Amino acid sequence: MTVLAEARALQLVHGRADVRAAVGAARAAGETVALVPTMGFLHDGHMSLVHRARELADRVMMSIFVNPLQFGPSEDLDRYPRDLEGDLRLAREHGVDLVFAPSAAEMYPHGPQQVRVEPGPLGARMEGAIRPGHFSGMLTVVAKLFGIFGPDVAVFGQKDFQQATLIRRMVGDLDLPVRVEVAPIVREADGLAMSSRNVYLSAEERARALALHRGLRRGHELFAAGERDAAVLRQALWAALRVPGIEPEYAEAVHPDTLEPVAAAAPGTVLLVAARVGGTRLIDNAVLS
Ligand code: AMP
């Protein structure tokens, strides 16, 4: 058998009806479906979600959509990196069965979206405070994708910790019939969390950007050495980010479910950082264990 040498067929579709037909066919064949939502410009972080999805379902489907609804007016919607050809190559190599790459008109056929999903208090702080409207746009498109695909399971990355927490909460609060899985952060060899936005970084900025991971590692070391005062951990994050060429936005130690700042760190407490390096916003986090 030469199964490995055989490239799997990847179906590329642009319409919601095509997705429904493909999911319907999978279901008729008794297969389960996993969805991996992305904005494309794929990297190994996305591929780790694909591999997790493959463990969880018979069919792995991916959406590639740079969702205008989740970008603020001064954000990088227009220059967000796009490379559908490259994405399809990678998706095919990693055994994705179907890619849904809709236009904005296909996703929002009735014009401006009127009914939206509001994140509530979990979306008010950190990313929500820096990017007003972002989580409403994100949750709305994820809810739409759940409606379009009707997947058994959807896989997200811990890289966007607050996002994953909000999606879990949305699924619970709205009783959406989908299982949410969250996969660990994939990093470059030197520790930088993989991100489509890393392509914006110059060589110098790329080196500076390591401060985010350095701070998280320091926080983790302190915790491992017995430090439980969350203020001390936050201080360590800030210290790593207060360097020339970096504009820190937040450095937090929060409860994983409530996202409320904690006074005492415990296993499961999440350290989160966000900073601008040059013109690029970067986020990263670590769960204490
Ligand atoms: P994006 O294309 O940036 O919207 O990301 C799509 C999905 O991939 C989200 O669930 C992200 O959390 C996840 N993701 C992005 N970067 C990474 C990474 N470095 N490791 C793991 N998952 C990631």
Side-chain angles (χ1 to χ4, degrees), residues 35-38 43 45-46 48-50 52 154-165 167-168 180-186 194 283 285:
L35 171 63
V36 179
T38 80
H43 50 67
H46 297 113
S48 74
L49 308 186
V50 167
R52 185 77 189 108
V155 188
F156 297 87
Q158 185 202 312
K159 165 76 175 15
D160 298 273
F161 190 92
Q162 193 175 9
Q163 164 176 294
T165 303
I167 290 167
R168 278 208 171 108
V180 173
E181 272 286 308
V182 180
I185 302 176
V186 177
M194 288 191 184
I283 59 172
N285 68 82

Side-chain angles (χ1 to χ4, degrees), residues 190-213:
D190 59 7
L192 183 69
M194 288 191 184
S195 164
S196 306
R197 289 188 167 99
N198 291 350
V199 71
Y200 296 149
L201 299 169
S202 68
E204 227 173 63
E205 291 166 346
R206 168 80 183 62
R208 268 186 231 137
L210 289 175
L212 281 82
H213 181 238

Side-chain angles (χ1 to χ4, degrees), residues 76-249:
D76 57 346
L77 173 64
D78 292 335
R79 68 178 194 123
Y80 194 86
R82 293 164 170 88
D83 176 16
L84 187 58
E85 282 302 306
D87 288 350
L88 293 175
R89 210 174 315 120
L90 209 54
R92 193 175 289 115
E93 274 170 27
H94 289 262
V96 174
D97 296 297
L98 177 142
V99 166
F100 173 47
S103 64
E106 178 66 19
M107 282 302 277
Y108 300 109
H110 313 296
Q113 187 78 7
Q114 294 194 6
V115 177
R116 297 189 188 209
V117 181
E118 290 305 326
L122 287 181
R125 301 180 53 254
M126 298 188 290
E127 289 303 288
I130 306 271
R131 305 182 67 187
H134 166 68
F135 282 135
S136 166
M138 180 279 293
L139 289 174
T140 300
V141 85
V142 170
K144 281 170 74 74
L145 290 168
F146 287 171
I148 293 165
F149 281 83
D152 298 278
V153 56
V155 188
F156 297 87
Q158 185 202 312
K159 165 76 175 15
D160 298 273
F161 190 92
Q162 193 175 9
Q163 164 176 294
T165 303
L166 276 163
I167 290 167
R168 278 208 171 108
R169 184 75 198 206
M170 170 177 78
V171 163
D173 282 0
L174 300 181
D175 284 308
L176 302 180
V178 57
R179 167 179 167 194
V180 173
E181 272 286 308
V182 180
I185 302 176
V186 177
R187 300 179 177 281
E188 304 285 358
D190 59 7
L192 183 69
M194 288 191 184
S195 164
S196 306
R197 289 188 167 99
N198 291 350
V199 71
Y200 296 149
L201 299 169
S202 68
E204 227 173 63
E205 291 166 346
R206 168 80 183 62
R208 268 186 231 137
L210 289 175
L212 281 82
H213 181 238
R214 217 166 19 239
L216 294 170
R217 230 180 31 218
R218 182 75 191 121
H220 213 292
E221 281 165 10
L222 288 168
F223 181 75
E227 182 60 67
R228 294 293 179 269
D229 185 346
V232 173
L233 301 184
R234 279 185 204 102
Q235 203 44 52
L237 301 178
W238 280 114
L241 294 178
R242 272 200 208 99
V243 295
I246 295 195
E247 286 172 59
E249 286 183 340

